[in-house]
Amino acid sequence: MEPHPQLTSFLSPYPPHVSELAFSLRKFVLQQAPRASELIYDAYNAVSLAYSLSDSLKDAFCHIAVYPNHVNFGFNRGTELLQDMVVLEGTGKLIRHLKVTNDQKFPRNEVTLLLAETVEISIRRNPNLAKSNIQPASIVKSISQNKRRP
């Protein structure tokens, strides 16, 4: 799936290595979950890309949050993951993430397994996703006028 035309402009203020990392992780998610739609949020403190089997954030299974010096690769229901092959960060009620600073050190094999598990969690929470015929799309969901980021 081609990125939404505005995504490149949202990421342009970031250092090149950070925006390249975000695009690399985006490609990885879409290879693992080709039925996923991409929900883009140009937010106050980060550009975030959520991946969902619908066009709704409540069904999202993972996300990418872009910050000035790194990218967080997050699992929206990370506290429910059973596999523990990767140490995830976070103290919230649901979300856990990996802080990614280098594409070469990103644990693709392990995250592939976690993605499969988190997609299943999403489908268990909303069984209609299993038989959904929604065409994947890259959708800008919100643009914050005020920003505290590049």
Side-chain angles (χ1 to χ4, degrees):
M1 168 182 22
E2 290 296 315
H4 191 282
Q6 287 182 285
L7 181 57
T8 301
S9 68
F10 294 158
L11 294 176
S12 67
Y14 289 89
H17 75 279
V18 173
S19 58
E20 289 168 11
L21 180 56
F23 277 112
S24 175
L25 295 175
R26 174 191 186 273
K27 181 178 177 182
F28 171 74
V29 171
L30 294 173
Q31 287 172 338
Q32 302 308 310
R35 290 183 46 225
S37 284
E38 176 178 65
L39 313 177
I40 302 169
Y41 298 84
D42 181 26
Y44 175 72
N45 64 341
V47 171
S48 297
L49 315 171
Y51 296 91
S52 174
L53 297 179
S54 72
D55 61 357
S56 177
L57 183 59
K58 71 178 176 151
D59 294 323
F61 54 88
C62 77
H63 64 274
I64 296 168
V66 185
Y67 295 99
N69 298 312
H70 71 282
V71 176
N72 281 353
F73 188 96
F75 299 94
N76 290 34
R77 308 223 36 117
T79 58
E80 298 175 17
L81 292 169
L82 299 176
Q83 300 188 39
D84 61 356
M85 61 202 68
V86 177
V87 176
L88 300 174
E89 298 179 41
T91 58
K93 192 172 173 184
L94 292 174
I95 295 174
R96 294 292 180 268
H97 69 275
L98 290 167
K99 183 176 179 179
V100 185
T101 57
N102 182 324
D103 194 39
Q104 302 304 316
K105 294 181 181 177
F106 182 68
R108 281 177 162 59
N109 293 336
E110 293 85 351
V111 172
T112 296
L113 296 173
L114 293 173
L115 275 175
E117 184 179 351
T118 197
V119 166
E120 288 303 315
I121 291 169
S122 183
I123 291 170
R124 261 196 323 269
R125 294 183 50 74
N126 181 356
N128 293 327
L129 296 176
K131 50 190 172 227
S132 172
N133 290 330
I134 292 177
Q135 288 295 321
S138 184
I139 307 162
V140 174
K141 296 294 264 187
S142 124
I143 300 173
S144 174
Q145 296 306 314
N146 298 323
K147 295 181 177 54
R148 195 191 99 214
R149 59 170 184 77

